Amino acid sequence: MAVSEKTKPAAEGAAARPAKVNILQAINAAMADAMAADDSVLVLGEDVADPEEGGVCGVTRGLSSRFGDHRVRSTPISEQAIIGAAIGASLVGFRPVAEIMLMNFTTVAMDMIVNHAAKLRFMSGGQTHVPIVIRTMTGTGFASGGQHCDYLEAWFAHTAGLKVVAPSSPRDAYGLMRSAIEDPDPVLFIENLPTYWLADEAPESGYRVPIGKANVLAEGSDVTIIAYARMIQEAAPAIARLAEAGISAELIDLRSIAPWDRAAVLASVAKTGRAMIVHEAVTPFGVGAEIAATLNEELFGRLKAPVKRLGGAFCPVPFSKPLETAFAPQTEDIFAAACALVSA
Amino acid sequence: MAVSEKTKPAAEGAAARPAKVNILQAINAAMADAMAADDSVLVLGEDVADPEEGGVCGVTRGLSSRFGDHRVRSTPISEQAIIGAAIGASLVGFRPVAEIMLMNFTTVAMDMIVNHAAKLRFMSGGQTHVPIVIRTMTGTGFASGGQHCDYLEAWFAHTAGLKVVAPSSPRDAYGLMRSAIEDPDPVLFIENLPTYWLADEAPESGYRVPIGKANVLAEGSDVTIIAYARMIQEAAPAIARLAEAGISAELIDLRSIAPWDRAAVLASVAKTGRAMIVHEAVTPFGVGAEIAATLNEELFGRLKAPVKRLGGAFCPVPFSKPLETAFAPQTEDIFAAACALVSA
Amino acid sequence: MSVGNLDPTAAEQLDMYRRMALIKANDERSRKVIMSGRLVMPYYSPRGQDVIPSAVSVNLTDDDYICTIYRGTHDMLAKGFPLKDMWAEVAGRTTGTCKGKGGPMHLTCPEKGVMVTTGIVGSSMPIANGIAWGSQLKGDGRVTVAYFGDAAANIGAFHESLNLAAVWKLPVVFVCQNNEWGEHTAYEKTSNVRVADRAAAYGMPGERVDGNDPFAVYAAARRAVARARAGDGPSLIEAMTYRFHGHVFGDQDAYMDKARKADAMANDPVLRFRARLVESGIAGEDELAAIEAAIEAAIDEAVDYALASPFPDVAELKRDVFAEELA
Amino acid sequence: MSVGNLDPTAAEQLDMYRRMALIKANDERSRKVIMSGRLVMPYYSPRGQDVIPSAVSVNLTDDDYICTIYRGTHDMLAKGFPLKDMWAEVAGRTTGTCKGKGGPMHLTCPEKGVMVTTGIVGSSMPIANGIAWGSQLKGDGRVTVAYFGDAAANIGAFHESLNLAAVWKLPVVFVCQNNEWGEHTAYEKTSNVRVADRAAAYGMPGERVDGNDPFAVYAAARRAVARARAGDGPSLIEAMTYRFHGHVFGDQDAYMDKARKADAMANDPVLRFRARLVESGIAGEDELAAIEAAIEAAIDEAVDYALASPFPDVAELKRDVFAEELA
Ligand SMILES: Cc1ncc(C[n+]2csc(CCOP(=O)(O)OP(=O)(O)O)c2C)c(N)n1
Ligand SMILES: Cc1ncc(C[n+]2csc(CCOP(=O)(O)OP(=O)(O)O)c2C)c(N)n1
Ligand SMILES: [Mg+2]
Ligand SMILES: [Mg+2]
């Protein structure tokens, strides 16, 4: 986490909200508003309380001071214990928001997440359920190397019983966090580290984004670009360049990965006849494969070109800057791939 | 593990090998032959040594008696320590075969497998590498319920640096185990519990199956059925019934999931124009998605029907027999789906 | 804090016996029914460990919670898990407590405080902490018991859980049932240290007791439960016992020392306690016989009920995955 | 087993100083270069902890192994990690020891026994066990040191690793560098117990020493290394120290007590040891000055070499994923 210097005091946002906030502040405000609205909402994780600065990036800053350190608890470095505590509290009526600092660290808590959080409702025949939110951040761009940047959303989307969301804007981050906290089932909330400080229109307090609904960011007729998280920032400029090149591209922000918005995506691709999925996770066996497979099943014979998948290079995330930059899809890659699709 | 009663003494197999062996015995023989051929081959895991009966199913039976308990070590129930020990030993010249008893228990060792075993070669710039085999068993059919039967191969296939194999016959089990032990990189070797006792032609000592090569089990011209592990046992009878129905189906045993044999699969589907992927793992974001996406990319416009994916129901594995039976694809499902594909 | 008299009253002794007699009878019946082929399930016999949850549970109420493991029917029955619901569940019927979807390794009954049954070694503990954290937040004075085995004391979740419970002073009682075996591996091959002695590594009280002595377990549990209720934090109890049977039904247990096992079974803790109740005049032979007869009758009824119940419809595969039924 | 005199010889004292002087100078230079913007990397300063690996490593040879963590340049330099290779790596250049692919958190140098550097808390330990198992199998008498932080003593991998090492009597030395902090969280908020006292939970010797006292660390390491070499098994050393800077470069460390920190820095263990060497007549002022000048020169050379080296080609993304280059 080489980014603390970038941190801005967030939180109190809930009280007086500025016209523009960044994603970090929006997530903070969503948790603050949810905690104010519902005493059963809890926050736990490493460094999350204010004596520990409300997290290494300050996402939970202000919450323990405002709601008390019994509801906002910094934990030992014990990810299994963190998720276990969240699961247990949720079984007796609480709605814990647990932080696993970085997505790669979910690897030490997979049993709690996959064998327990995701399955207890089913295995108990509906007698119990696990309304928890697991916040985690990740993403390339800060030269953190092989163990700090992975996008593992496909693992969790492949797990029955889990929901997975990955917002790309302050509004969506706020709206999805509010929905995730209210959801009766476990939700993995994926935050992108490099875009935490991306400022944009502030969501009104109480705003909600339903889990499972995509967002059409740009309408177009020639090709549909499906992306999420930071890839939206790479795709948006590509759309503009495509327009200059006379290509009308539709940009869909998936926002929710599990469940994903089949209706919205199918409707768009049925219209454009061409689709490209962009994510930072490595391409093979990634989210793009599921979407591509579905598009081909549902729109068989109606596609004008093969569905294109643009993902991270098939290797661990490299440290060296030029390699790290080349690892994840960039605007030029998206532009070039879209041109190729249309001229295919 | 409700199956110990089924266990038959295996191992000595290496010495005098019968004409027919079951998969359990074939894996045992492969480890025995590899240990006899190479002193650097080690075995570790829970209950693997003979005082502990060579594993709950006897897969490692006889190895510690024959090769010594320094090379074949039963461990505490500490999966992180098991994989860590295997990784460390491999860094100094050994070739450990580590057992994670059931695939669901990989969830307590994911950090060691994904952040370390898979990445050390890349992160060290090739200075070190991790030639380990991780054996694990899984599969529905023994009423073990939600935490003992998952097929999680898609997670590992989505991880750069790991190889994943899943044999369906004694010959392939032997040949793939020999290749996995000799492979310079980490290989996840997935064993199917219910078919351990499936007896078939015994492999000759020293037989190898190259990792990444599929096996065409039945030639056909109307539809290609791609499967692996126990699903081969469900697909084979379907092939026969399809023949009776006048449908010529090709059956491909993938054997290796990462890397998978694109050439063989593409050649077959280019010929038949129709494809179905069958696996026990839940369908969404599963291995079938990657294969379907690839087929559509590579054979765009040349498919006669949309690629069909047949996987486990999207839920945790249920206990109740009728539910457990309905969970995984069965011969009738494969038969019906193939008929639908051909008449599409 | 004083927990008063640490000897169970006569009523409590009879109560303990009722629970262990039920566990013993239910185990014998379970093995008989499986042997007969009328039920197919992975069955992890708790026989030999009957005393432990019986003596722990008389110190608990229905409001208290437990998290247990695949080898847990004794823990559940001692906590009041309804027999019919249990049998219907292990028979995979829709009348089962989990509609047949969970099965023997995931039996759940919140009304009786049986919150989680896990098939993953060590995983009862992290979740028990969370339930106890909930009680701490609510101030409801409830206690959560986390049951686990000796071999589970070597897995990471044990360490993280005991540490967090100690640091957060959670109302949890960690009860390790040391039956000397983890599947086919003897405890002494996997650890140099007594489980109870590991409590010191977390700054919590740890006590090793004879798990086959109802009085010893009762006293240790009473102390630990009182401590938890008083908000003084968690405790670790290592109850020494022995597994009468193989790890799982069908396991020929050739790896277990025959003499040691015969000796353990010859000293059946349930029968010993029964004799003691009679000697000490707490219960008459016919009173106990009546209790046992009633238990057998209840089990008869539960088995018949279970086997007569319908199997769930395959539509259940789409239910309880999420709150909303899948399309 | 006797390990003889536990005081470092004059030569060993000078050797220790050479190592800690290098660590101190290299850290100061690293922060300067990052501050100047010439290098961008996550940098976890080891300053304050300089003495620990210096005193440990004089008890090791190039054949011995270490596994360390993201905060590990001190451990590596003390073990002999070549400066130029290190600087080229953290600069992400193809001349780096990992071709620039690993970076600061994954520096690796097998020739000097630096086998693994991990960015995952706790993960140096399970792998160190495996390397030590290899030595045990080969009987090569080598020792593996697993370095980790105080907060890592609360994670599952610590527990599983110390238990396995103790049960298998592996030649490992677990060295916990207790700098009082885990990122922004103080150790005493996350554990009720000293790390060293946890050794008892595994039946291995555990010792808490002043990590800023080269003599204390030397003696503890010497005992532990001798024990491991003799095949008598692992040891746990908790070396008490203090983190001079924030968790990572850029961290404003507002959460750290200013006075405590100022005090720690005022008592810089490297400068204290330097003064002691002069007082005790082991080294003259100019001799030490010469050593320090040579170190500065070597660092100059390494930095220039690194910054002048080429970046790797993107084709490297396809190499070292597997033995065989990807298509
Ligand atoms: C993480 C994990 N590893 C391995 C297993 C397989 N397994 C099931 S029970 C068992 C032995 C556990 O022994 P113990 O904790 O003493 O409990 P007991 O069965 O004796 O009651 C093992 C290894 C598992 N269920 N979970
Ligand atoms: C499993 C895991 N959880 C969380 C983190 C994030 N993290 C990195 S360093 C650190 C603090 C570790 O403190 P300590 O073990 O005392 O080592 P120190 O940094 O003080 O040297 C944390 C929580 C991580 N890298 N791995
Ligand atoms: Mg046991
Ligand atoms: Mg620290």
Side-chain angles (χ1 to χ4, degrees), chain B residues 82-91 94-98 112-113 117-118 129-134 162 180-181 183-188:
Chain B
I82 290 168
I83 302 300
I87 293 171
S90 78
L91 294 178
F94 291 91
R95 293 184 170 273
V97 179
M112 280 294 130
I113 299 170
H129 65 118
V130 182
I132 68 172
V133 178
I134 300 173
L162 290 181
I181 291 172
D183 198 276
D185 291 299
V187 179
L188 181 69

Side-chain angles (χ1 to χ4, degrees), chain B residues 276-298:
Chain B
M276 159 164 49
I277 305 111
V278 188
H279 55 61
E280 212 170 318
V282 300
T283 305
F285 302 90
V287 166
E290 176 63 30
I291 296 173
T294 303
L295 288 173
N296 284 292
E297 282 159 33
E298 301 294 327

Side-chain angles (χ1 to χ4, degrees), chain C residues 110-261:
Chain C
E111 307 83 76
K112 294 297 182 175
V114 180
M115 302 305 288
V116 174
T117 300
T118 184
I120 308 296
V121 166
S123 296
S124 58
M125 294 174 268
I127 300 175
N129 276 347
I131 296 170
W133 182 31
S135 294
Q136 185 183 60
L137 286 163
K138 294 177 187 170
D140 62 15
R142 298 184 186 192
V143 171
T144 302
V145 175
Y147 289 109
F148 59 100
D150 46 288
N154 293 328
I155 201 163
F158 166 89
H159 180 67
E160 295 189 9
S161 301
L162 269 71
N163 184 60
L164 189 78
V167 172
W168 287 12
K169 283 188 125 198
L170 298 175
V172 190
V173 180
F174 295 97
V175 177
C176 176
Q177 302 187 23
N178 188 336
N179 60 12
E180 297 188 18
W181 292 97
E183 287 200 342
H184 303 182
T185 304
Y187 179 71
E188 73 263 19
K189 280 196 185 182
T190 65
S191 166
N192 296 338
V193 179
R194 296 175 162 204
V195 175
D197 293 346
R198 289 185 167 167
Y202 311 104
M204 77 169 71
E207 193 173 354
R208 177 184 250 206
V209 298
D210 176 354
N212 297 337
D213 174 352
F215 290 77
V217 178
Y218 176 91
R222 175 128 186 210
R223 262 191 298 272
V225 168
R227 177 180 150 83
R229 278 205 212 290
D232 296 331
S235 309
L236 171 61
I237 296 172
E238 178 183 21
M240 303 308 296
T241 181
Y242 196 78
R243 204 180 68 194
F244 276 15
H245 301 286
H247 169 63
V248 66
F249 188 89
D251 167 352
Q252 302 309 312
D253 63 50
Y255 51 90
M256 292 171 85
D257 178 78
K258 299 276 151 297
R260 173 79 181 80
K261 194 173 155 211

Side-chain angles (χ1 to χ4, degrees), chain A residues 46 77 79 105, chain D residues 70-71 119 121 149-152 179 181-183 247:
Chain A
E46 293 151 14
I77 303 178
E79 281 78 6
F105 313 152
Chain D
Y70 50 89
R71 190 185 317 281
V121 166
D150 45 288
N179 61 13
W181 293 96
E183 286 200 339
H247 169 63

Side-chain angles (χ1 to χ4, degrees), chain D residues 80-134:
Chain D
F81 199 117
L83 264 179
K84 289 167 82 171
D85 304 14
M86 179 183 281
W87 274 91
E89 184 59 30
V90 300
R93 309 308 166 107
T94 178
T95 52
T97 177
C98 307
K99 304 183 198 165
K101 294 162 126 177
M105 281 200 257
H106 307 299
L107 287 156
T108 310
C109 183
E111 306 84 76
K112 293 297 181 175
V114 180
M115 302 305 288
V116 173
T117 299
T118 184
I120 308 296
V121 166
S123 296
S124 59
M125 292 174 269
I127 300 176
N129 277 346
I131 295 170
W133 181 33

